[in-house]
Amino acid sequence: MERVEVLKTYKIYIGGKFPRTESGRYYTPTNAKGDALGNICLCSRKDVRNSVVAARKAQGGWAGRAAFNRGQVMYRIAEMLEGRKAQFIEELIFQGATKIKAEQEVNTAIDRLIYYAGWCDKYTQVLGSVNPVASSHFNFSVHEPTGVVGIIADESTSLIGLVSMIAPVIAGGNTCVVIASESLPLSAITFAEVLGTSDVPGGVINILTGASEEMAKPLSTHMDVNALAYSGNDEAVLKELQEYAVMNLKRVRSYTKDWMNSDSQDLYMISDYQEVKTTWHPIENIGGANSTY
Amino acid sequence: MATKKKNNQPVEWNYSPALESTSHVKLKDKYELYIDGKWVKPSSKKYFKTINPANEEVLAEVAHANDKDVDLAVKAARKAYKNVWSKIAPSERAKYIYRIARLMQERAREFAVIESLDAGKVIRESRDVDVPLACNHFFYYAGWADKLEYAFPNRKVESLGVAGQIIPWNFPLLMAAWKIAPALAAGNTVVLKPAETTPLTALKLAEIIHDSGLPAGVVNIVTGYGDTGAAIVNHPDVDKIAFTGSTGVGKIIQKAIAGTHKKSTLELGGKSANIIMDDAPIDQAVEGIVNGIFFNQGHVCCAGSRLFIQEGVADKVIEKLKHRMDSLIIGDPMDKNTDIGAINSKEQLDIINGYVKIGIAEGAEIYQPKCKLPNSGYYCPPTLFMDVAQSSRLVQEEIFGPVLTIQTFRTVDEVIQKANNSPFGLAAGIWTDKGSRIFNLTTKLRAGVIWANTYNKFDPTSPFGGYKESGFGREGGLQGLGAYLKMN
Amino acid sequence: MNNNKGLEIPDFSQSPIVDKVGVEERVERFQKRSIKNESKMQGLRMALSMIDLTTLEGKDTPGKVRQMCYKAQHLHDIHPNLPTVAAVCVYPSMVKIAKQEVKGSGVKVASVSTAFPSGQAPMKVKITDTKFAVDQGADEIDMVISRGRFLTGDYNFVFDEIASIKDICGNARLKVILETGELVTLDNVRRASDIAMYAGADFIKTSTGKIQPAATMQVTYTMLEAIRDYMNTTGRQVGMKPAGGISNSKLALHNLVMVNETLGSKWLTNEWFRFGASSLANDVLMQIMKAETGVYQSSDYFAID
């Protein structure tokens, strides 16, 4: 007699925990062949709210970590992803990818994490500046995380779009609430499990599944979200996000990139979620021979 | 022996008026719109009066641009962009901007006088702060024009096209410089609208730009009210909106351009904390408080309007602050000795007085030095409100006048929390002798500019701009260029 | 008389700290005051009346001192109603002569002492030096502090030395010279000011005139703030004397602006504010004559001594 397989319950990821949606609802997306992908949480605005609370709580601690440490944590995510590569490939194939494409996608996702892990302790060096002001002051500009970022991940990919949006956001010390691809949600949930077993503090990344249309409004109107990231080319959605963002002047970034392309990763995706802080301090000039005081 | 007695009698020493001469300043009775290198009558046929807020006298009549005029200006800017400005060598672009900077320097005093007449700003500040900084801004960005490829590593940069720029009335010329200089250096053309109460220095700048031989249409100055600004914001052929002003209007603009792919930078309001620790250099901190809130009559978006004093030194700081306020001279902006000039407009004075009334009604202890205000014009004495609650409207809302609220605190944690407890995040001041504490505070305060042991310092090389509802994008420095470039 | 007896002495290592750049900015604001017309005339006359006309040279002779004393009382006799200077300032050996020369004019005689200008002598010598000057009739004693001891942190030594000298001054007013050019930082200037005042100084004074830099406005401002704090704490008024480097009217007026706005008009008399200067008087006189005649002046028309 064949062994009865244990089926996976797909959960969401909030504050480092794996609850089911508080709404109790689910949806059942299918692949091209018509196979059900699973019973996926159909998250509500309350899940969005809970995620933002978790992300806010985690933000100070994550931003306050040594940049080197953030890099290590991100590298650890890549390691864990590498270890579960087979599962990701299998799920991608199940969601409709060819084996080659699936392998490419997972490899690219791992490499992308490594890429941004490396930036953690470098971007402030490249982007920061010491500004030669004309008065007797030391003046420097550093980049600081914008805060809590709402991410609406790429709908057309399951893993690479998600990872490509999350990585630069957290590399820069932000925390995030991510709305995964509605039609291809499996990799997002498995990625959450990777996060759960890596060293990412709870709340730094929160991943929700369900109807993007339903969650976009509570996320983009939320007064405690500082920035929005949108991947896709639906102009109507973008306009709506931009309008909602006005309430507390969220920074809105949108991308129409092919995330499989290596050009889609760069330093400026980190700086998209950074604020420039400029600090002044007097310089007491007491020279020896040429003191003029 | 008689002289001895006389010598020993202390007498009050009041400074005689020392008025800046206005004889070398040429103002026209009527100003048209500066479009495509020409002075153009407004198709609205309407003009508005700009007055001197220090005595309510009319200085000039200024054209009120409508949609049609703005369209004309945008078309001119587009044409200049396509045919000239995007084609000429960046090094040549630089030389035009340098030329403008030099011409401004040559006529610095004239600019200063007009600024003080039109804005009510004291001549000492327009002469020593506004105008030199404006000139320096052009100088700084001129040099960037042919070096853009060094600014953003691994990116190819390109100009955006036509920039629509809307500036406020608190630093009229300086804000025009902050907007125009980087836009031109990055290779864009400009349609700029000065504030309706302070259009004159921007119009004077148009004269200088004209004299500089800058190709027609590269800079267009259209004067008017909010409707003129709206016409710029809503014009489909504008690629970029740069706005400095209130958070309320900033939101309206941002909403208007949603879904249009217009880039924007917003420099909006603030309610910045100025924090005095018990080990601060107290006398310099007091001066920093004064510079923080009474500079430019408090019409400063980054004004240090929320003062936090550690309890151990609160009495001392307040006593010294009151003493310093007593020596501030309030009155005619054209007098070189005046410290606090006129409030920019009657509307603004009403707003400020409204907040003072709220403060009194809330029962906060008020202090204003005994000073005689001029009979005509709009004036507000420097004002302190002591022991104000964090929840008071005076603490929560931007007043944009010489009104300071004082709160005390006990620990660093407490003051960081209170300072950050605001929808704004433009600037903050911190006064302490301890280096490690400075770095702790400067890291934790959520604001775009942190002044440690100083306040209200500006420089063209220093990026300026806010966190949260204080807006986004930076002006000044290398970072200020990014706002006017496409990156590929 | 030392009126500081019984006063609680603070820990001078905890003197308020001073941010130099902030002080420079504050001073710039004073310098931007534009003093015109009547206020200028009033300021110039005040400045004249506050001068300590000084000669402190190895080559000083009775003849030189007599000439200076005459000038002190007759600044520019062509002009009626000019005040006299506040005092003449000489070495102890010249006090007697000076005293005779200024008799009845109201002009005071100040004597430097305590092994001026270096102060590098044993306490006994400093006491003898001071006692001699007082006995010769000096109205005011300008002592120097031991800068070496101060810079090694021996604040008690500096305090005790000042207090000891104060004790033997009798009715003579004690000015304590900090020699700020050797103290280098404004934090030190502030601390030395506090020590001097708490030890009994009637005046604090910037410099001997032998060391550069001397009375910069930054230093004077720092000392004025110390005086203000001391007054607020103890209720005792202390005078201020910038000395050295104030050679023209503009600088003198800026100093007066600074006194006016930092301490108030209570200090705007020669009882509480002095300029230690020798060449200032003629420049002020030239400015007064210019203001009255409308014609720019030449130094040929103003007596140098």
Side-chain angles (χ1 to χ4, degrees):
Chain A
M1 194 176 139
E2 250 186 83
R3 179 176 174 274
V4 176
E5 257 190 278
V6 179
L7 292 178
K8 180 170 173 179
T9 310
Y10 292 99
K11 294 187 172 182
I12 52 176
Y13 185 53
I14 300 176
K17 296 196 168 63
F18 292 91
R20 286 192 59 82
T21 167
E22 67 74 44
S23 67
R25 304 174 306 171
Y26 65 91
Y27 71 111
T28 317
T30 55
N31 63 15
K33 286 186 254 168
D35 305 325
L37 297 180
N39 291 326
I40 309 297
C41 289
L42 183 63
C43 290
S44 66
R45 61 190 170 86
K46 286 190 181 166
D47 296 311
V48 171
R49 180 199 63 191
N50 294 345
S51 300
V52 173
V53 170
R56 174 59 63 198
K57 209 173 146 201
Q59 208 273 314
W62 181 241
R65 289 212 176 196
F68 176 76
N69 181 256
R70 282 207 308 273
Q72 286 203 313
V73 170
M74 289 188 69
Y75 187 82
R76 180 73 181 154
I77 302 172
E79 281 181 345
M80 300 309 283
L81 187 51
E82 184 83 41
R84 295 179 70 165
K85 210 164 147 180
Q87 185 186 353
F88 279 97
I89 292 170
E90 196 181 304
E91 284 173 355
L92 285 171
I93 293 171
F94 185 45
Q95 291 178 110
T98 63
K99 184 155 186 286
I100 292 173
K101 290 267 184 209
E103 275 174 8
Q104 277 175 351
E105 183 166 347
V106 179
N107 288 341
T108 308
I110 295 166
D111 293 352
R112 187 133 303 157
L113 284 163
I114 302 282
Y115 175 81
Y116 284 109
W119 265 125
C120 287
D121 51 6
K122 296 166 192 70
Y123 68 88
T124 47
Q125 291 183 306
V126 179
L127 297 172
S129 57
V130 170
N131 311 307
V133 295
S135 53
S136 186
H137 293 90
F138 187 71
N139 177 297
F140 61 98
S141 297
V142 292
H143 283 62
E144 289 189 344
T146 297
V148 173
V149 181
I151 298 176
I152 297 169
D154 183 25
E155 181 58 33
S156 63
T157 61
S158 188
L159 179 65
I160 188 61
L162 183 93
V163 168
S164 299
M165 297 279 276
I166 291 173
V169 166
I170 62 165
N174 301 282
T175 57
C176 58
V177 175
V178 191
I179 300 175
S181 168
E182 185 176 349
S183 54
L184 306 169
L186 297 191
S187 307
I189 298 156
T190 310
F191 184 65
E193 290 160 17
V194 164
L195 297 173
T197 52
S198 65
D199 303 323
V200 189
V204 170
I205 302 169
N206 305 276
I207 300 180
L208 304 177
T209 53
S212 168
E213 210 186 346
E214 183 186 350
M215 287 182 283
K217 186 175 175 185
L219 185 62
S220 55
T221 56
H222 200 300
M223 295 299 275
D224 209 23
V225 171
N226 303 105
L228 291 176
Y230 170 67
S231 174
N233 44 22
D234 189 328
E235 294 283 333
V237 170
L238 181 59
K239 180 167 192 273
E240 198 179 60
L241 291 179
Q242 285 172 334
E243 283 174 349
Y244 289 143
V246 169
M247 294 178 69
N248 67 337
L249 291 175
K250 291 178 189 71
R251 289 77 170 118
V252 182
R253 314 291 179 210
S254 69
Y255 311 93
T256 51
K257 299 182 180 200
D258 173 1
W259 299 111
M260 287 301 291
N261 195 327
S262 64
D263 288 354
S264 69
Q265 62 187 21
D266 73 18
L267 166 67
Y268 300 97
M269 277 204 64
I270 299 177
S271 63
D272 277 349
Y273 308 97
Q274 298 287 308
E275 303 290 322
V276 178
K277 173 181 279 181
T278 300
T279 302
W280 295 67
H281 196 278
I283 301 173
E284 184 175 270
N285 280 314
I286 296 182
N290 49 13
S291 167
T292 52
Y293 91 90
Chain B
M1 290 306 279
T3 48
K4 182 194 163 196
K5 193 132 205 158
K6 219 160 72 187
N7 293 351
N8 282 342
Q9 265 337 293
V11 282
E12 289 299 320
W13 188 35
N14 296 311
Y15 313 135
S16 310
L19 294 179
E20 177 68 40
S21 158
T22 55
S23 58
H24 56 299
V25 167
K26 284 180 233 97
L27 277 179
K28 295 191 257 187
D29 293 336
K30 199 181 214 182
Y31 282 91
E32 311 294 352
L33 307 167
Y34 185 68
I35 297 173
D36 206 11
K38 294 180 285 288
W39 293 97
V40 180
K41 288 193 187 312
S43 68
S44 68
K45 298 199 170 60
K46 277 196 260 177
Y47 292 83
F48 60 92
K49 292 181 171 73
T50 183
I51 65 157
N52 179 348
N55 56 22
E56 300 168 58
E57 283 167 16
V58 175
L59 292 167
E61 293 207 327
V62 179
H64 185 160
N66 64 13
D67 293 12
K68 257 186 170 163
D69 300 310
V70 167
D71 183 56
L72 209 61
V74 173
K75 284 203 170 97
R78 176 61 61 192
K79 191 181 77 193
Y81 177 72
K82 259 172 57 184
N83 300 344
V84 189
W85 202 238
S86 63
K87 296 233 165 71
I88 70 166
S91 55
E92 300 301 296
R93 224 159 63 210
K95 287 194 285 185
Y96 277 117
I97 307 169
Y98 277 127
R99 231 190 236 183
I100 295 168
R102 268 288 190 256
L103 286 168
M104 285 174 76
Q105 285 177 326
E106 284 169 14
R107 292 169 70 175
R109 192 53 61 91
E110 192 179 355
F111 270 113
V113 169
I114 296 172
E115 198 76 305
S116 283
L117 288 172
D118 204 17
K121 185 186 282 283
V122 298
I123 188 72
R124 177 181 52 77
E125 287 174 6
S126 38
R127 180 195 66 201
D128 298 341
V129 183
D130 293 63
V131 175
L133 273 178
C135 300
N136 296 356
H137 217 81
F138 275 99
F139 233 93
Y140 173 77
Y141 276 109
W144 267 121
D146 56 358
K147 301 168 191 70
L148 298 174
E149 64 268 34
Y150 293 94
F152 301 95
N154 212 31
R155 279 293 180 96
K156 276 178 83 170
V157 294
E158 224 183 291
S159 54
L160 298 170
V162 176
Q165 308 180 317
I166 299 162
I167 58 171
W169 45 258
N170 57 344
F171 294 94
L173 180 69
L174 183 58
M175 289 302 109
W178 278 28
K179 295 284 180 286
I180 297 173
L184 296 189
N188 305 281
T189 57
V190 162
V191 176
L192 176 123
K193 186 195 97 69
E196 61 269 23
T197 60
T198 56
L200 294 181
T201 43
L203 292 164
K204 204 78 196 165
L205 180 61
E207 289 177 12
I208 273 186
I209 285 173
H210 193 82
D211 293 347
S212 76
L214 188 78
V218 172
V219 172
N220 305 275
I221 311 271
V222 289
T223 42
Y225 282 75
D227 59 331
T228 313
I232 295 174
V233 169
N234 294 321
H235 197 289
D237 205 28
V238 168
D239 301 291
K240 149 97 192 178
I241 299 294
F243 171 74
T244 299
S246 72
T247 292
V249 175
K251 287 180 176 179
I252 293 168
I253 290 174
Q254 197 58 25
K255 195 150 195 166
I257 63 171
T260 63
H261 294 279
K262 284 177 190 169
K263 277 189 83 163
S264 65
T265 39
L266 303 175
E267 301 289 0
L268 308 175
K271 192 74 188 176
S272 300
N274 200 0
I275 301 167
I276 319 294
M277 307 296 302
D278 59 8
D279 66 339
I282 297 290
D283 292 315
Q284 288 74 59
V286 166
E287 199 57 24
I289 297 166
V290 168
N291 283 336
I293 186 63
F294 302 131
F295 174 57
N296 200 32
Q297 295 72 249
H299 302 328
V300 184
C301 48
C302 52
S305 50
R306 288 187 294 152
L307 179 63
F308 291 94
I309 317 175
Q310 200 160 17
E311 281 185 5
V313 290
D315 290 346
K316 200 201 253 179
V317 170
I318 291 169
E319 182 258 309
K320 285 188 174 228
L321 178 59
K322 287 178 179 173
H323 175 268
R324 177 71 179 94
M325 284 166 71
D326 292 342
S327 72
L328 292 171
I329 300 172
I330 297 106
D332 187 352
M334 298 309 289
D335 189 325
K336 289 177 243 181
N337 288 324
T338 302
D339 295 305
I340 298 183
I343 299 301
N344 189 267
S345 65
K346 180 159 190 315
E347 292 70 28
Q348 190 57 30
L349 182 62
D350 290 344
I351 291 170
I352 297 167
N353 286 339
Y355 278 107
V356 172
K357 273 201 195 108
I358 291 172
I360 293 168
E362 283 179 354
E365 188 193 343
I366 185 174
Y367 180 79
Q368 293 176 324
K370 288 180 204 77
C371 53
K372 225 183 99 219
L373 301 180
N375 295 327
S376 64
Y378 315 128
Y379 291 92
C380 176
T383 304
L384 298 185
F385 279 105
M386 283 154 282
D387 276 327
V388 185
Q390 180 82 3
S391 57
S392 163
R393 278 185 66 195
L394 266 58
V395 171
Q396 297 287 322
E397 296 172 20
E398 184 174 39
I399 298 173
F400 225 64
V403 180
L404 179 68
T405 62
I406 303 181
Q407 295 168 270
T408 58
F409 68 94
R410 293 151 299 172
T411 64
V412 174
D413 285 21
E414 181 188 356
V415 78
I416 290 172
Q417 270 187 357
K418 281 185 174 163
N420 285 340
N421 178 217
S422 163
F424 298 112
L426 191 48
I430 161 71
W431 297 81
T432 172
D433 195 37
K434 192 168 178 182
S436 56
R437 187 178 296 141
I438 289 174
F439 283 109
N440 179 36
L441 277 152
T442 56
T443 309
K444 297 213 170 115
L445 293 169
R446 301 284 291 158
V449 182
I450 309 280
W451 286 292
N453 292 323
T454 185
Y455 207 96
N456 268 346
K457 291 280 175 297
F458 308 94
D459 193 275
T461 68
S462 176
F464 182 92
Y467 286 25
K468 302 197 274 185
E469 292 203 19
S470 290
F472 40 70
R474 292 293 176 267
E475 294 187 302
L478 181 156
Q479 287 82 355
L481 280 174
Y484 288 97
L485 290 168
K486 248 191 295 228
M487 297 199 221
N488 300 308
Chain C
M1 280 289 290
N2 195 338
N3 23 20
N4 271 18
K5 293 274 154 67
L7 199 65
E8 194 187 321
I9 306 302
D11 174 359
F12 295 113
S13 68
Q14 300 297 309
S15 271
I17 57 142
V18 182
D19 182 79
K20 180 167 169 275
V21 176
V23 169
E24 284 164 355
E25 286 169 7
R26 181 73 189 101
V27 164
E28 267 173 38
R29 284 290 290 269
F30 295 125
Q31 289 167 335
K32 280 174 184 169
R33 291 288 191 219
S34 179
I35 306 301
K36 298 272 180 245
N37 305 324
E38 307 89 75
S39 59
K40 182 173 184 184
M41 193 50 97
Q42 192 187 346
L44 290 171
R45 292 180 64 92
M46 245 183 326
L48 272 188
S49 76
M50 290 167 169
I51 291 173
D52 281 6
L53 215 52
T54 302
T55 183
L56 293 168
E57 292 177 355
K59 62 176 191 275
D60 283 349
T61 58
K64 160 79 188 178
V65 170
R66 278 191 204 104
Q67 289 208 20
M68 186 179 76
C69 289
Y70 186 82
K71 166 96 176 180
Q73 304 160 72
H74 305 272
L75 283 168
H76 197 53
D77 282 346
I78 293 168
H79 190 294
N81 300 325
L82 283 178
T84 65
V85 299
V88 290
C89 182
V90 295
Y91 270 116
S93 57
M94 298 294 157
V95 168
K96 198 168 192 175
I97 294 152
K99 200 66 192 166
Q100 287 162 2
E101 293 301 315
V102 299
K103 205 169 166 193
S105 68
V107 174
K108 308 269 195 225
V109 174
S111 172
V112 296
S113 85
T114 67
F116 179 95
S118 74
Q120 296 283 20
M123 193 59 208
K124 243 186 350 201
V125 175
K126 292 185 185 180
I127 286 175
T128 311
D129 194 17
T130 309
K131 209 164 170 357
F132 175 77
V134 173
D135 290 347
Q136 295 281 299
D139 303 297
E140 298 167 1
I141 295 295
D142 290 22
M143 73 170 286
V144 292
I145 65 165
S146 296
R147 284 87 75 188
R149 290 296 192 113
F150 178 89
L151 290 171
T152 53
D154 201 348
Y155 306 137
N156 288 341
F157 179 91
V158 176
F159 181 94
D160 292 345
E161 208 176 47
I162 297 166
S164 307
I165 298 295
K166 174 67 189 172
D167 279 344
I168 51 169
C169 277
N171 289 326
R173 294 175 88 198
L174 177 64
K175 306 197 196 95
V176 177
I177 303 172
L178 309 180
E179 195 62 307
T180 55
E182 291 187 341
L183 301 184
V184 183
T185 70
L186 294 179
D187 288 321
N188 280 344
V189 170
R190 168 70 200 222
R191 181 172 298 142
S193 302
D194 288 350
I195 293 172
M197 289 186 291
Y198 278 95
D202 298 300
F203 260 83
I204 51 178
K205 175 175 168 185
T206 59
S207 323
T208 60
K210 307 293 182 193
I211 295 283
Q212 287 299 320
T216 64
M217 283 185 70
Q218 289 84 346
V219 160
T220 302
Y221 171 69
T222 304
M223 293 167 73
L224 293 175
E225 288 290 11
I227 290 172
R228 185 153 72 94
D229 286 344
Y230 181 79
M231 174 82 171
N232 286 344
T233 310
T234 68
R236 187 168 77 90
Q237 189 170 3
V238 173
M240 174 70 205
K241 178 176 172 184
I246 301 166
S247 54
N248 63 51
S249 306
K250 199 171 177 184
L251 250 173
L253 288 174
H254 285 153
N255 269 274
L256 291 176
V257 163
M258 187 155 70
V259 174
N260 193 30
E261 295 186 27
T262 310
L263 296 175
S265 59
K266 222 177 144 186
W267 266 262
L268 286 181
T269 120
N270 64 10
E271 198 182 348
W272 299 109
F273 191 77
R274 296 282 177 84
F275 289 108
S278 38
S279 55
L280 174 62
N282 273 6
D283 192 69
V284 173
L285 288 170
M286 280 163 71
Q287 287 293 323
I288 290 176
M289 293 309 284
K290 194 272 147 182
E292 294 193 348
T293 61
V295 177
Y296 291 109
Q297 301 293 304
S298 158
S299 59
D300 285 357
Y301 297 82
F302 298 84
I304 51 174
D305 278 327

